[in-house]
Amino acid sequence: METERLIMRRWREDDREPFAALNADPEVMEHFPAPLTRPQSDAMVGRIERAFDEHGYGLWALEVRETGRFIGFTGLAWQRFEAPFTPALEVGWRLARHAWGHGYAVEAARRAVAEGFAVAGVNEIVSMTPVRNARSRGVMERLGMARDPADDFDHPAVPEGHPLRSHVLYRLGRP
């Protein structure tokens, strides 16, 4: 898939090294419990690719069309952990620091959301982040997603008492 400035594609072997570097960056991973090791990052690529095989969509590797440079991912993932809103199709993103501030996350997420509504047969797509992640919340709002504070939740995969446990949930209905 393509957008004006980006190519959204399946993962290649040469994506693994720059993906591991961004997953090891403490600033990129500020809103996750911990940076990922190289084996953890590689395992994530494996899970992403298996989701593509299962669903036909997933978390697309992103590259800048003009340069061919890998910058991270944006796409769709099923969330099935125990919560009032799950199972749910989530739109998400993770970009290398050098790609921040260019509007890439919004551009790619708009395309991913359109694909999700077209092929996944859902009436709603969600996105979630820790309460304090203002940058991702801004992306969600620019996508036209809405938050109801009654939907906020403690993420069950984040340990009790951890400062990232409290999450906000944004929703976007089928157009």
Side-chain angles (χ1 to χ4, degrees), residues 86-162:
T86 59
L89 188 60
E90 179 188 21
V91 61
W93 45 87
R94 185 177 307 163
L95 303 182
R97 263 189 296 149
H98 63 80
W100 293 359
H102 299 281
Y104 294 144
V106 174
E107 183 176 327
R110 278 194 180 113
R111 181 66 183 92
V113 164
E115 185 73 3
F117 284 127
V119 303
V122 297
N123 291 319
E124 176 181 76
I125 293 176
V126 304
S127 196
M128 65 195 79
T129 194
V131 170
R132 67 185 197 185
N133 188 347
R135 275 193 303 271
S136 278
R137 290 174 71 168
V139 171
M140 294 169 197
E141 289 165 8
R142 286 190 292 283
L143 289 172
M145 301 184 97
R147 173 182 171 234
D148 179 344
D151 289 335
D152 293 353
F153 68 102
D154 287 339
H155 201 297
V158 180
E160 295 259 353
H162 194 286

Side-chain angles (χ1 to χ4, degrees), residues 38-59:
R38 176 65 189 257
Q40 290 170 322
S41 183
D42 286 347
M44 184 176 181
V45 172
R47 288 189 303 275
I48 290 169
E49 278 297 298
R50 284 190 298 280
F52 271 108
D53 292 341
E54 182 179 348
H55 303 294
Y57 54 84
L59 299 171

